[in-house]
Amino acid sequence: QGKYDPTLDLSHYKFPSLSLLKTYPNENAPIVNMDEQNANKERIVNALGDFGIEITSIKATIGPTVTLYEIVPKAGTRISKIRNLESDIMLSLAAKGIRIIAPIPGKGTIGIEVPNENPQIVSMHSIIASKKFQEEEKMALPVAIGRTITNEVFMFDLAKTPHLLVAGATGQGKSVGLNAVITSLLYKKHPAELKLVMIDPKKVEFSIYSPIENHFLARLEEEDDCIITDVQKVVKTLNSLCVLMDTRYDLLKKAHVRNIKEYNEKYNIDTSPLFNRAIST
């Protein structure tokens, strides 16, 4: 009968436009402040020199929020000695915090990450519109959450991260990270390929996603609200997901396959892997 395409049931569906995302000036290239860069280089050299550590070279790699200074110490210098000077270098730079990578994996250098005086906003628009994200086809559930120190888009496959814990202090960006995950999936996946179960005890974090109720949000039959906000109903929701999971495992068992990708290939289902994700604050 040929390949089955589940997206035909929603053939009229259009993916969200990039115009929905806010743009910022210079969002694709970091702002270079040579005065700040040269001053930090000099301070690092002087701070290390005060403790008898000589370096043969130093170069900077500028990122959106952090600059990486790579130094090559003089032969015979103990790396542990440089690691122990983290607080002294931070004092010399008058920085809020630094990170020493000693050594940088794959390189014969030592890295010192220093926050930029004027950090640049990493916009979701610049990430979603990037060539790397738009042309990604190997990942089942591609998620782009930011940019690296070299200003490259950082992505990971949520399908290969079945257990994910997002934790941190207030104001550290937990909600921003969750929104980046959800936004990435909405821009990459058809409603026939993805269903979300959202549990939001705070009631305000995921309320902005109510417009996608008819396409992406899965709900219990007896529930009126597609986003679960009542803590008393969370257990019932999670139990229903466990029942669905067991049903799917039974199907995989009968089909003599190990995962949903093999199942789709065996039965000529022309679609990316279908996954349910329970995302909770």
Side-chain angles (χ1 to χ4, degrees):
Q1 297 179 356
K3 288 188 175 183
Y4 168 67
D5 184 2
T7 63
L8 294 178
D9 294 336
L10 278 175
S11 57
H12 63 280
Y13 177 78
K14 293 182 179 180
F15 282 85
S17 169
L18 291 174
S19 61
L20 296 174
L21 301 174
K22 187 176 180 179
T23 59
Y24 294 85
N26 303 315
E27 63 179 16
N28 291 316
I31 300 173
V32 179
N33 187 333
M34 291 305 299
D35 292 336
E36 176 188 352
Q37 188 181 133
N38 292 331
N40 283 341
K41 284 182 179 179
E42 185 177 350
R43 288 168 185 158
I44 291 173
V45 172
N46 292 337
L48 294 175
D50 290 341
F51 292 92
I53 299 175
E54 297 183 25
I55 62 175
T56 58
S57 67
I58 180 171
K59 68 175 184 178
T61 301
I62 303 173
T65 59
V66 175
T67 298
L68 173 65
Y69 296 91
E70 292 184 57
I71 63 174
V72 179
K74 189 177 180 180
T77 303
R78 295 179 64 88
I79 294 178
S80 58
K81 189 175 181 181
I82 298 178
R83 280 204 198 102
N84 295 332
L85 295 177
E86 183 172 328
S87 299
D88 299 281
I89 296 174
M90 185 169 67
L91 178 63
S92 175
L93 295 172
K96 294 180 179 179
I98 66 170
R99 185 167 77 113
I100 295 180
I101 310 170
I104 296 178
K107 294 185 177 181
T109 59
I110 295 173
I112 301 176
E113 291 182 350
V114 182
N116 297 334
E117 287 186 7
N118 298 308
Q120 185 179 356
I121 293 177
V122 179
S123 71
M124 203 67 202
H125 178 272
S126 67
I127 296 174
I128 298 297
S130 67
K131 183 178 180 180
K132 182 176 181 179
F133 182 83
Q134 292 293 329
E135 296 182 358
E136 173 56 51
E137 296 181 352
K138 295 181 180 179
M139 295 183 183
L141 295 172
V143 174
I145 58 171
R147 291 185 178 273
T148 65
I149 190 69
T150 57
N151 211 42
E152 295 180 1
V153 174
F154 180 78
M155 297 177 59
F156 70 93
D157 191 351
L158 188 60
K160 294 182 178 179
T161 314
H163 306 289
L164 178 65
L165 174 65
V166 180
T170 302
Q172 294 301 305
K174 299 185 297 298
S175 297
V176 175
L178 290 174
N179 285 320
V181 172
I182 297 172
T183 303
S184 297
L185 296 176
L186 295 181
Y187 270 91
K188 204 67 175 177
K189 290 298 172 182
H190 189 278
E193 298 176 295
L194 177 73
K195 285 293 180 284
L196 298 170
V197 176
M198 292 189 176
I199 300 173
D200 184 11
K202 290 177 65 176
K203 302 182 180 182
V204 294
E205 294 292 346
F206 290 155
S207 60
I208 58 174
Y209 296 107
S210 55
I212 64 173
E213 171 183 353
N214 296 329
H215 291 89
F216 287 97
L217 296 187
R219 69 163 85 183
L220 296 177
E221 293 183 359
E222 65 271 19
E223 297 296 334
D224 295 328
D225 193 356
C226 57
I227 301 176
I228 308 299
T229 57
D230 187 349
V231 179
Q232 302 299 324
K233 299 177 180 178
V234 171
V235 174
K236 186 194 302 185
T237 303
L238 295 179
N239 284 337
S240 68
L241 290 175
C242 289
V243 171
L244 177 60
M245 179 183 67
D246 289 337
T247 302
R248 290 188 170 190
Y249 274 123
D250 289 337
L251 289 174
L252 297 180
K253 178 183 177 182
K254 291 178 181 178
H256 301 290
V257 294
R258 304 183 68 178
N259 55 58
I260 200 166
K261 182 178 181 180
E262 293 178 4
Y263 184 91
N264 289 337
E265 290 175 352
K266 184 171 184 176
Y267 292 102
N268 260 345
I269 299 176
D270 186 17
T271 181
S272 301
L274 310 180
F275 287 89
N276 275 14
R277 279 291 179 266
I279 301 178
S280 170
T281 55

